[in-house]
Amino acid sequence: MIELLAGQRVAVVSGAGMSTDSGIPDYRGPDSPPRNPMTYQQFVGDDEFRRHYWARNHVGWRHMDAARPNSGHRALAELERRRNVSGIITQNVDMLHTKAGSRRVIDLHGVYARVRCLGCERLVSRVALAQRLDRENPGFTESVAPADGVEIAPDADAVITSTAHFRMVDCEHCGGVLKPDIVYFGESVPKPRVADAFALVDESDALLVLGSSLTVMSGLRFVRRAAKAGTPVVIVNRGSTRGDPFAAVTSHAGCSETLAALLSSLPPRE
């Protein structure tokens, strides 16, 4: 792996396995429980689904906001400063690459910290929305956490069940439906974002996949793109992936320890 990546401009695709060492669970890791994330169609089409989601997110986003970059995130940021890494395409919404200091980060599926109005397209911060929801739901977080415990899913969704009494709010400007600025299952990644990601892959000499099973096409397409162009692909993931047939090297290892080894072994690019 080190021989393959040495001296190259490496594009990175990161998945949920990148953030497990920061306390954020993954979707499909060997020890992950079955998950049934809400779809875009459910969110926009059913008030009860939407209320249930916002109640869970109102608890879960705070845990994601409190998460801190792990040694793998910090190693990638340093590799970018050394010009070994050309940029990161992340499937994660946790913003930990940015918090670690990485500069060229394409948040493929959006970020947890913004909320979009589906009517007027205005963006507001999750902090500002939390303040409104707190006023409408005083003591909600404290009331559900002791009863249900708090398990956090990778999309900032807390696994709680007592949500019938939660009150939602709408856009302050147009009264439209508010949605986290996150790409849901059944929703398409914005085309300009995909184009930026393809451009990063095309200009790089190698592609390194970290902590993604590549089960969904949103990540697998970059592996296919690189392989079709003859760009070597390296995959690091605890378990097999859909991209393994396209890879020059696969490693069933953790991201943090792998990146620590790369950081100590790869000299900076000239």
Side-chain angles (χ1 to χ4, degrees), residues 250-265:
T250 61
S251 173
H252 293 180
C255 297
S256 295
E257 54 263 38
T258 298
L259 288 166
L262 286 176
L263 184 60
S264 64
S265 303

Side-chain angles (χ1 to χ4, degrees), residues 73 76-88 97-107:
H73 294 109
L76 274 182
E78 178 60 28
L79 287 167
E80 184 187 29
R81 284 189 286 271
R82 296 183 183 185
R83 301 181 64 242
N84 300 107
V85 165
S86 52
I88 300 168
H97 289 297
T98 299
K99 290 179 180 180
S102 291
R103 290 162 294 193
R104 188 176 183 184
V105 180
I106 299 171
D107 293 299

Side-chain angles (χ1 to χ4, degrees), residues 15-270:
M18 183 76 210
S19 296
T20 53
D21 286 346
S22 293
I24 299 174
D26 59 9
Y27 275 111
R28 301 177 182 90
D31 301 319
S32 298
R35 300 191 188 280
N36 187 29
M38 182 174 293
T39 67
Y40 178 75
Q41 290 74 20
Q42 288 172 326
F43 186 87
V44 300
D46 190 311
D47 287 345
E48 287 302 303
F49 270 110
R50 193 158 57 248
R51 177 192 51 73
H52 187 61
Y53 175 82
W54 275 120
R56 291 160 61 109
N57 181 269
H58 189 54
V59 177
W61 87 274
R62 303 167 194 269
H63 292 262
M64 184 163 282
D65 193 57
R68 292 295 173 259
N70 60 52
S71 60
H73 294 109
R74 294 191 295 271
L76 274 182
E78 178 60 28
L79 287 167
E80 184 187 29
R81 284 189 286 271
R82 296 183 183 185
R83 301 181 64 242
N84 300 107
V85 165
S86 52
I88 300 168
I89 305 162
T90 184
Q91 298 172 285
N92 302 333
V93 301
D94 54 36
M95 298 184 69
L96 290 178
H97 289 297
T98 299
K99 290 179 180 180
S102 291
R103 290 162 294 193
R104 188 176 183 184
V105 180
I106 299 171
D107 293 299
L108 195 65
H109 294 159
V111 297
Y112 77 91
R114 292 194 303 261
V115 176
R116 181 182 299 274
C117 173
L118 297 182
C120 65
E121 294 294 319
R122 289 178 183 264
L123 290 172
V124 298
S125 74
R126 190 61 185 81
V127 171
L129 180 61
Q131 293 169 348
R132 293 183 61 201
L133 289 173
D134 280 338
R135 289 194 293 270
E136 292 294 326
N137 300 275
F140 176 80
T141 301
E142 294 77 13
S143 70
V144 298
D148 297 283
V150 179
E151 177 193 344
I152 307 301
D155 56 359
D157 185 12
V159 182
I160 59 176
T161 56
S162 304
T163 64
H165 56 301
F166 190 79
R167 297 181 62 182
M168 296 189 297
V169 297
D170 295 319
C171 175
E172 290 184 296
H173 300 280
C174 74
V177 170
L178 296 175
K179 173 184 171 293
D181 196 23
I182 294 172
V183 177
Y184 283 11
F185 285 88
E187 188 178 7
S188 297
V189 178
K191 290 182 179 179
R193 203 177 296 169
V194 176
D196 287 345
F198 276 139
L200 175 59
V201 173
D202 291 345
E203 72 185 49
S204 301
D205 304 313
L207 180 66
L208 174 61
V209 178
L210 295 164
S212 175
S213 64
L214 300 172
T215 300
V216 296
M217 185 55 66
S218 67
L220 182 62
R221 58 184 153 187
F222 303 116
V223 171
R224 288 181 169 177
R225 175 88 160 215
K228 185 176 181 179
T231 301
V233 176
V234 175
I235 298 178
V236 178
N237 189 61
R238 293 191 186 277
S240 59
T241 81
R242 283 184 70 192
D244 289 356
F246 304 97
V249 177
T250 61
S251 173
H252 293 180
C255 297
S256 295
E257 54 263 38
T258 298
L259 288 166
L262 286 176
L263 184 60
S264 64
S265 303
L266 291 181
R269 289 186 69 249
E270 298 298 329

